[in-house]
Amino acid sequence: MPRRKPTRLLQVSDCHLARDPASTYRDQNADANLDRLMEPAQRWAPDLLVLTGDLSEDASIGSYCRIRDWARRIECPVAWIPGNHDDRDLMAPVFDDAGFDSGPVIDAGAWQLALLDSVWPNDPGGELDETRLAPLAELDRDCHAGIFVHHQPIPVGAAWIDKVGMRSAERLWAGVRELPSARFIAFGHVHQRFRQRVDGIDCLACPSTAANSLPATPRFTHGETTPMARWFVLGETGFRSGYLAA
Ligand SMILES: [Fe+2]
Ligand SMILES: [Fe+2]
């Protein structure tokens, strides 16, 4: 049987663009920092770009249009989920018109990816109920499975963001245990580097393109100012992943 080509995936998260492109987010200009990632992202040449929420700081249409325009310049298919700063009803028309995919299940060579929406109105924390977990049951058990969700499914050791993590995360973990093909859960929201293996599943944070904290600190702690994304190579026998920095 011919080998399938690995899928090069780029995860971009927590861009926090505001209506006014000149405004600051945690002492950083979010637009300028996102632009700093353009060249490394183009050089990485992904087959698929996955945006994992908090794309906007204020759910303004202008910010969604600027994210759309940035993503188009990567010149590959784009998939997305919202974050707690986003408004799905406002972002969806902008992204739908651009042909961006919100899944909830996406084919990627030897892999299938589930895009789970953990966001609830006026709630910085997240949660997955039975309906939001339903895409897991649609996954082809003969493919490796990767899960993308905005909120962290386990604490990352940073109180400032763990207090608004994923409530009732055991529901997700119960679903993952019934899915022997599951390989990783990738998320945003935490604005820091993080990787930990739990029950054979890699839990992988995508740092923010706008502003990141030093890892595992009680308060958001400046010191990691480089805009970052996360890359994946999804192959027939497994995957590799790491950070893409500007
Ligand atoms: Fe964020
Ligand atoms: Fe968030």
Side-chain angles (χ1 to χ4, degrees):
M1 200 168 107
R3 288 179 66 83
R4 275 185 281 190
K5 191 172 144 287
T7 298
R8 294 168 70 83
L9 186 154
L10 188 66
Q11 181 186 3
V12 165
S13 202
D14 294 81
C15 309
H16 288 271
L17 301 193
R19 183 189 316 265
D20 177 3
S23 62
T24 56
Y25 173 79
R26 293 193 189 272
D27 301 331
Q28 299 287 311
N29 181 274
D31 278 73
N33 282 2
L34 182 63
D35 284 342
R36 286 172 61 193
L37 269 171
M38 176 54 70
E39 201 216 319
Q42 286 176 330
R43 218 178 321 122
W44 169 250
D47 302 305
L48 176 65
L49 175 64
V50 181
L51 309 172
T52 52
D54 284 1
L55 306 179
S56 176
E57 168 69 4
D58 55 11
S60 54
I61 296 297
S63 62
Y64 291 128
C65 291
R66 299 206 307 283
I67 286 282
R68 174 201 61 200
D69 295 345
W70 186 91
R72 276 176 164 162
R73 290 174 61 199
I74 309 294
E75 296 186 339
C76 71
V78 181
W80 63 277
I81 48 175
N84 50 292
H85 283 267
D86 294 312
D87 184 323
R88 187 171 190 127
D89 291 342
L90 295 176
M91 69 202 293
V94 177
F95 289 175
D96 288 350
D97 278 355
F100 296 0
D101 197 344
S102 57
V105 173
I106 293 194
D107 291 318
W111 287 66
Q112 279 195 329
L113 309 172
L115 306 179
L116 305 183
D117 182 350
S118 57
V119 174
W120 302 86
N122 304 312
D123 184 354
E127 191 162 354
L128 296 167
D129 62 10
E130 261 178 55
T131 306
R132 304 286 188 97
L133 284 165
L136 296 183
E138 295 174 28
L139 292 169
D140 181 344
R141 306 295 161 117
D142 292 330
C143 294
H144 299 293
I147 296 164
F148 287 88
V149 63
H150 182 68
H151 292 86
Q152 70 272 35
I154 55 167
V156 298
W160 68 273
I161 196 68
D162 283 335
K163 71 181 183 208
V164 287
M166 188 190 293
R167 291 183 303 276
S168 309
E170 62 276 7
R171 276 192 220 126
L172 170 60
W173 285 103
V176 167
R177 271 194 294 276
E178 289 172 19
L179 193 66
S181 55
R183 300 289 174 261
F184 66 76
I185 303 172
F187 49 94
H189 190 57
V190 300
H191 290 240
Q192 61 197 275
R193 298 167 186 255
F194 179 83
R195 177 170 192 155
Q196 188 173 315
R197 187 166 252 244
V198 178
D199 297 342
I201 305 293
D202 283 299
C203 297
L204 307 165
C206 179
S208 166
T209 65
N212 289 301
S213 173
L214 294 174
T217 52
R219 294 187 185 81
F220 185 101
T221 306
H222 283 286
E224 178 104 88
T225 52
T226 306
M228 276 185 278
R230 180 176 268 289
W231 59 263
F232 295 78
V233 176
L234 308 177
E236 286 198 328
T237 56
F239 78 99
R240 294 181 290 122
S241 180
Y243 302 106
L244 186 83

Coordinates of all heavy atoms in Angstrom, one line a residue, residues 179-223:
L179 N -11.4 6.0 23.1 CA -10.9 6.3 21.7 C -9.4 5.8 21.7 O -8.5 6.6 21.9 CB -11.1 7.8 21.4 CG -10.9 8.2 20.0 CD1 -12.0 7.7 19.1 CD2 -10.9 9.8 20.0
P180 N -9.2 4.5 21.4 CA -7.8 4.1 21.4 C -6.9 4.8 20.4 O -5.7 4.7 20.5 CB -7.9 2.6 21.1 CG -9.4 2.2 21.1 CD -10.2 3.5 21.1
S181 N -7.6 5.4 19.4 CA -6.8 6.0 18.3 C -6.3 7.4 18.7 O -5.6 8.1 18.0 CB -7.6 6.1 17.0 OG -8.8 6.8 17.3
A182 N -6.8 7.9 19.9 CA -6.4 9.3 20.3 C -4.9 9.4 20.6 O -4.4 8.6 21.3 CB -7.3 9.7 21.5
R183 N -4.3 10.4 20.1 CA -2.9 10.6 20.3 C -2.5 11.9 21.1 O -1.6 11.9 21.9 CB -2.1 10.7 18.9 CG -2.3 9.5 18.1 CD -1.5 8.3 18.7 NE -1.8 7.1 17.9 CZ -2.6 6.1 18.3 NH1 -3.2 6.2 19.5 NH2 -2.8 5.1 17.6
F184 N -3.3 13.0 20.8 CA -3.0 14.2 21.5 C -4.2 15.1 21.7 O -5.2 14.9 21.0 CB -1.9 15.0 20.8 CG -2.2 15.6 19.4 CD1 -3.1 16.7 19.3 CD2 -1.8 15.0 18.3 CE1 -3.4 17.2 18.1 CE2 -2.1 15.5 17.0 CZ -2.9 16.6 16.9
I185 N -4.1 16.0 22.7 CA -5.1 17.0 22.9 C -4.3 18.3 22.8 O -3.4 18.5 23.6 CB -5.8 16.9 24.3 CG1 -6.5 15.6 24.4 CG2 -6.9 18.1 24.4 CD1 -7.1 15.4 25.8
A186 N -4.6 19.2 21.8 CA -3.9 20.4 21.7 C -4.8 21.6 22.0 O -6.0 21.6 21.6 CB -3.4 20.6 20.2
F187 N -4.3 22.6 22.7 CA -5.2 23.7 23.2 C -4.4 25.0 23.1 O -3.2 25.0 22.8 CB -5.7 23.4 24.6 CG -4.6 22.9 25.6 CD1 -4.0 23.9 26.4 CD2 -4.2 21.6 25.7 CE1 -2.9 23.5 27.3 CE2 -3.2 21.2 26.5 CZ -2.6 22.2 27.3
G188 N -5.1 26.1 23.4 CA -4.5 27.4 23.5 C -4.8 27.9 24.9 O -4.5 27.2 25.9
H189 N -5.3 29.1 25.0 CA -5.8 29.7 26.3 C -4.8 30.0 27.4 O -4.9 31.0 28.1 CB -6.9 28.8 26.9 CG -7.7 29.4 28.0 ND1 -8.4 30.6 27.9 CD2 -7.9 28.9 29.3 CE1 -9.0 30.8 29.0 NE2 -8.7 29.8 29.9
V190 N -3.7 29.2 27.5 CA -2.8 29.3 28.6 C -1.7 30.3 28.4 O -1.0 30.6 29.4 CB -2.3 27.9 29.1 CG1 -3.4 27.0 29.5 CG2 -1.4 27.2 28.0
H191 N -1.4 30.7 27.2 CA -0.4 31.7 26.9 C 1.0 31.3 27.5 O 1.6 32.2 28.1 CB -0.8 33.1 27.5 CG -2.0 33.7 26.7 ND1 -1.8 34.9 26.1 CD2 -3.2 33.3 26.5 CE1 -3.0 35.3 25.5 NE2 -3.9 34.3 25.8
Q192 N 1.4 30.1 27.3 CA 2.7 29.7 27.8 C 3.0 28.3 27.2 O 2.2 27.7 26.6 CB 2.7 29.5 29.3 CG 1.8 28.5 29.9 CD 1.6 28.8 31.4 OE1 2.4 28.3 32.2 NE2 0.5 29.5 31.8
R193 N 4.3 28.0 27.3 CA 4.7 26.6 26.8 C 4.2 25.6 27.8 O 4.3 25.8 29.0 CB 6.3 26.6 26.7 CG 6.9 27.5 25.8 CD 8.4 27.6 26.1 NE 9.1 28.6 25.3 CZ 9.9 28.3 24.2 NH1 10.0 27.1 23.8 NH2 10.4 29.3 23.6
F194 N 3.8 24.5 27.3 CA 3.4 23.4 28.1 C 3.3 22.1 27.3 O 2.8 22.1 26.2 CB 2.0 23.6 28.8 CG 1.6 22.5 29.7 CD1 2.0 22.5 31.0 CD2 0.7 21.6 29.2 CE1 1.6 21.5 31.8 CE2 0.2 20.6 30.1 CZ 0.7 20.5 31.4
R195 N 3.8 21.0 27.9 CA 3.6 19.7 27.2 C 3.7 18.6 28.3 O 4.6 18.6 29.1 CB 4.7 19.4 26.2 CG 4.7 18.1 25.6 CD 5.6 17.9 24.4 NE 5.3 16.7 23.7 CZ 5.5 16.5 22.4 NH1 6.1 17.4 21.7 NH2 5.1 15.3 21.8
Q196 N 2.7 17.8 28.4 CA 2.7 16.7 29.4 C 1.9 15.5 28.9 O 0.9 15.7 28.2 CB 2.0 17.2 30.7 CG 2.2 16.3 31.9 CD 1.6 16.9 33.1 OE1 1.9 18.1 33.5 NE2 0.8 16.2 33.9
R197 N 2.4 14.3 29.2 CA 1.8 13.1 28.7 C 0.9 12.6 29.8 O 1.3 12.4 31.0 CB 2.8 12.1 28.3 CG 2.3 10.9 27.7 CD 3.5 10.1 27.0 NE 3.4 10.3 25.6 CZ 3.2 9.2 24.8 NH1 3.1 8.0 25.3 NH2 3.1 9.4 23.5
V198 N -0.4 12.3 29.6 CA -1.3 11.8 30.6 C -2.0 10.6 30.0 O -2.7 10.7 28.9 CB -2.4 12.9 30.9 CG1 -3.4 12.3 31.9 CG2 -1.8 14.2 31.4
D199 N -1.9 9.4 30.6 CA -2.5 8.2 30.2 C -2.2 7.9 28.7 O -3.1 7.5 27.9 CB -4.0 8.2 30.4 CG -4.3 8.3 31.9 OD1 -3.5 8.0 32.7 OD2 -5.5 8.7 32.2
G200 N -0.9 8.2 28.3 CA -0.5 7.9 26.9 C -1.0 9.0 25.9 O -0.7 8.9 24.7
I201 N -1.6 10.1 26.4 CA -2.1 11.1 25.5 C -1.2 12.4 25.7 O -1.0 12.8 26.9 CB -3.6 11.5 25.8 CG1 -4.5 10.3 25.7 CG2 -4.0 12.7 24.9 CD1 -4.7 9.7 24.4
D202 N -0.7 12.9 24.7 CA 0.1 14.2 24.8 C -0.8 15.4 24.9 O -1.6 15.6 24.0 CB 1.0 14.3 23.6 CG 2.2 13.4 23.7 OD1 3.0 13.5 24.6 OD2 2.4 12.5 22.8
C203 N -0.6 16.1 26.0 CA -1.4 17.4 26.2 C -0.4 18.5 25.8 O 0.6 18.7 26.5 CB -1.8 17.5 27.6 SG -3.0 16.2 28.1
L204 N -0.8 19.3 24.8 CA 0.1 20.2 24.2 C -0.5 21.6 24.1 O -1.5 21.8 23.5 CB 0.4 19.8 22.7 CG 0.9 18.3 22.5 CD1 0.8 17.9 21.1 CD2 2.3 18.2 23.0
A205 N 0.2 22.6 24.8 CA -0.3 24.0 24.7 C 0.3 24.6 23.4 O 1.5 24.4 23.1 CB 0.1 24.7 25.9
C206 N -0.5 25.5 22.8 CA 0.1 26.4 21.8 C 0.2 27.8 22.5 O -0.8 28.3 22.9 CB -0.9 26.5 20.6 SG -0.3 27.6 19.3
P207 N 1.4 28.3 22.6 CA 1.5 29.6 23.2 C 0.8 30.7 22.3 O 0.4 30.4 21.2 CB 3.0 29.9 23.2 CG 3.7 28.5 23.1 CD 2.7 27.7 22.3
S208 N 0.7 31.9 22.8 CA 0.0 33.0 22.1 C 0.9 33.6 21.1 O 2.1 33.7 21.2 CB -0.4 34.0 23.2 OG -0.8 35.2 22.6
T209 N 0.3 34.1 20.0 CA 1.0 35.0 19.1 C 1.2 36.4 19.6 O 2.0 37.1 19.1 CB 0.3 35.1 17.7 OG1 -0.9 35.8 17.9 CG2 0.0 33.7 17.1
A210 N 0.4 36.7 20.7 CA 0.4 38.1 21.1 C 1.3 38.3 22.3 O 2.2 39.2 22.3 CB -1.0 38.6 21.5
A211 N 1.1 37.6 23.4 CA 1.9 37.8 24.7 C 1.9 36.5 25.5 O 0.8 35.9 25.6 CB 1.3 38.9 25.5
N212 N 3.0 36.1 26.0 CA 3.2 34.8 26.7 C 3.7 35.1 28.1 O 4.6 36.0 28.3 CB 4.0 33.8 25.9 CG 3.3 33.3 24.7 OD1 2.2 32.7 24.8 ND2 3.8 33.5 23.5
S213 N 3.3 34.2 29.0 CA 3.9 34.2 30.4 C 5.0 33.2 30.5 O 5.0 32.2 29.7 CB 2.8 33.8 31.4 OG 3.3 33.7 32.7
L214 N 5.9 33.4 31.4 CA 6.8 32.4 31.8 C 6.0 31.2 32.2 O 4.9 31.4 32.9 CB 7.8 32.8 32.9 CG 8.8 33.9 32.5 CD1 9.5 34.4 33.7 CD2 9.7 33.4 31.4
P215 N 6.4 30.0 32.0 CA 5.5 28.8 32.4 C 5.4 28.6 33.9 O 6.3 29.0 34.6 CB 6.2 27.6 31.7 CG 7.3 28.2 30.8 CD 7.6 29.5 31.3
A216 N 4.3 28.1 34.3 CA 4.1 27.6 35.7 C 4.4 28.7 36.7 O 5.1 28.4 37.7 CB 4.9 26.4 35.9
T217 N 3.9 29.9 36.5 CA 4.0 31.0 37.5 C 2.6 31.3 38.1 O 1.6 31.2 37.4 CB 4.6 32.2 36.9 OG1 3.9 32.6 35.7 CG2 6.1 32.0 36.5
P218 N 2.5 31.7 39.4 CA 1.2 32.0 39.9 C 0.4 33.1 39.3 O -0.8 33.1 39.2 CB 1.5 32.3 41.4 CG 2.9 32.2 41.6 CD 3.6 31.9 40.3
R219 N 1.1 34.1 38.8 CA 0.5 35.2 38.0 C 1.1 35.3 36.7 O 2.2 34.8 36.5 CB 0.8 36.6 38.7 CG 0.1 36.7 40.1 CD 0.3 38.1 40.7 NE -0.3 38.1 42.0 CZ 0.4 37.6 43.1 NH1 1.6 37.2 43.0 NH2 -0.2 37.6 44.3
F220 N 0.4 35.9 35.7 CA 1.0 36.1 34.4 C 2.3 36.9 34.6 O 2.3 38.0 35.2 CB 0.0 36.9 33.5 CG 0.5 37.1 32.1 CD1 0.0 36.3 31.1 CD2 1.5 38.0 31.7 CE1 0.5 36.4 29.7 CE2 2.0 38.1 30.4 CZ 1.5 37.3 29.4
T221 N 3.4 36.3 34.1 CA 4.7 36.9 34.3 C 5.4 37.1 33.0 O 5.8 36.1 32.3 CB 5.5 35.9 35.2 OG1 4.8 35.6 36.4 CG2 6.9 36.5 35.6
H222 N 5.6 38.4 32.6 CA 6.3 38.7 31.4 C 7.7 38.1 31.5 O 8.3 38.0 32.5 CB 6.3 40.2 31.2 CG 5.1 40.8 30.8 ND1 4.6 40.7 29.5 CD2 4.1 41.5 31.4 CE1 3.4 41.3 29.3 NE2 3.1 41.8 30.5
G223 N 8.2 37.9 30.3 CA 9.6 37.3 30.3 C 9.7 36.5 29.0 O 10.8 36.2 28.6

